[in-house]
Amino acid sequence: MAEIDIIGSGQMARGIATRLLHGRNNVRIIGRNDNQMRDLIESLGAGVTGAYMGSPLTSNVVILAVPHGAAREVILEYSDGLDGKVVVDISNPVDYATMDRLTTAPGSSAAEETAAMLAGRAEVVKAFNTTFAKTLLAGNVAGQPLDVFIAGDSEEAKEKVSALVAGSGMRPIDTGPLRWARELEAFMLLVMALQTNPEHQHFNWDTALKILP
C-alpha cells in the first residue's frame, strides 16, 4: 500500500485514482475547484482524501493530472515542496485548436519541460499519457489489462511508478530515458487527431493499442 498525491480533479485524476484505489493504495486529491474536488472524492469512496492547492505534499509520488499549460503554475506554487519527490507528468502538449501539432519546442517534450523547471530537485517520470480516462475507469480493453508506457532518467523512480501500475492491475512498459516522452507525446497527437477526423471515427484505437507489438 502506498500514499499518492494527485494534483488535479478532472477525468484523468478520476481514472488514475480509480486504478490506484483498485491496488489498495491511499490517494489524496489536491485541487482548486471545491465542488469538483468534493464530488470526485465522494464518488471514489474509501481510501481517498482531499486537500486544497498549496497544501503540503505528504507522499513520495506526486501525479500532475493537469493540462500541459497548468504544470508550470503548479510547480511554481509548490516550489521546494516537490524536492525529493517522484513527479509523474501525464500531459499531452497538443494544440487542441488545430489537432495538428505539439505545443512543445522541437527536440523537447512536456515531461522534459517539467524536469527543467524542477532543475534536478525531483525525479520526473512520464506515464499515463497514452491511457484514456474512460479505459482507466474500466481497467481493461477487450478484457486485457491496460498498458502504461513509462519514461524517465531515474531507474529507481521508474521502478516506483511501475510498481504502482502493476499493483493496480495494469502492465507497466519501460520505454527508456525521459527523452522518449517526445515519442509518447507525438504518438498521442496522432491518435487524438485520427479520433477527431470523421473518416477515422469507426476505428477503435483503444483496441489497436492493445495489439501493437
Side-chain angles (χ1 to χ4, degrees), residues 94-101 188-194 196:
V94 173
D95 183 340
Y96 290 98
T98 63
M99 295 302 293
D100 66 356
R101 72 182 187 95
M188 285 309 291
L189 169 62
L190 172 63
V191 171
M192 286 188 269
L194 287 173
T196 58

Side-chain angles (χ1 to χ4, degrees), residues 125-174:
V125 173
K126 189 74 183 184
F128 294 109
N129 80 296
T130 59
T131 55
F132 294 92
K134 185 176 181 180
T135 53
L136 283 165
L137 290 173
N140 67 84
V141 173
Q144 298 298 314
L146 303 180
D147 290 338
V148 178
F149 294 94
I150 297 169
D153 292 334
S154 166
E155 294 301 322
E156 181 180 357
K158 286 192 292 185
E159 286 173 4
K160 287 181 180 179
V161 175
S162 294
L164 287 174
V165 168
S168 300
M170 298 173 285
R171 188 171 72 153
I173 299 176
D174 186 345

Side-chain angles (χ1 to χ4, degrees), residues 6 27 50 72 78 95 100 170 205 209 211:
I6 299 179
V27 175
R72 180 178 179 82
Y78 273 100
D95 183 340
D100 66 356
M170 298 173 285
W205 271 98
L209 287 172
I211 62 175

Side-chain angles (χ1 to χ4, degrees), residues 21-40:
L21 290 168
H22 179 77
R24 301 185 181 279
N25 298 292
N26 291 323
V27 175
R28 188 170 66 145
I29 302 293
I30 300 174
R32 301 187 192 279
N33 187 315
D34 291 359
N35 292 332
Q36 183 171 298
M37 186 170 62
R38 188 182 307 112
D39 290 346
L40 176 56

Side-chain angles (χ1 to χ4, degrees), residues 176-189:
L178 194 63
R179 61 183 176 81
W180 278 95
R182 304 170 198 174
E183 281 66 37
L184 295 177
E185 293 169 8
F187 176 67
M188 285 309 291
L189 169 62

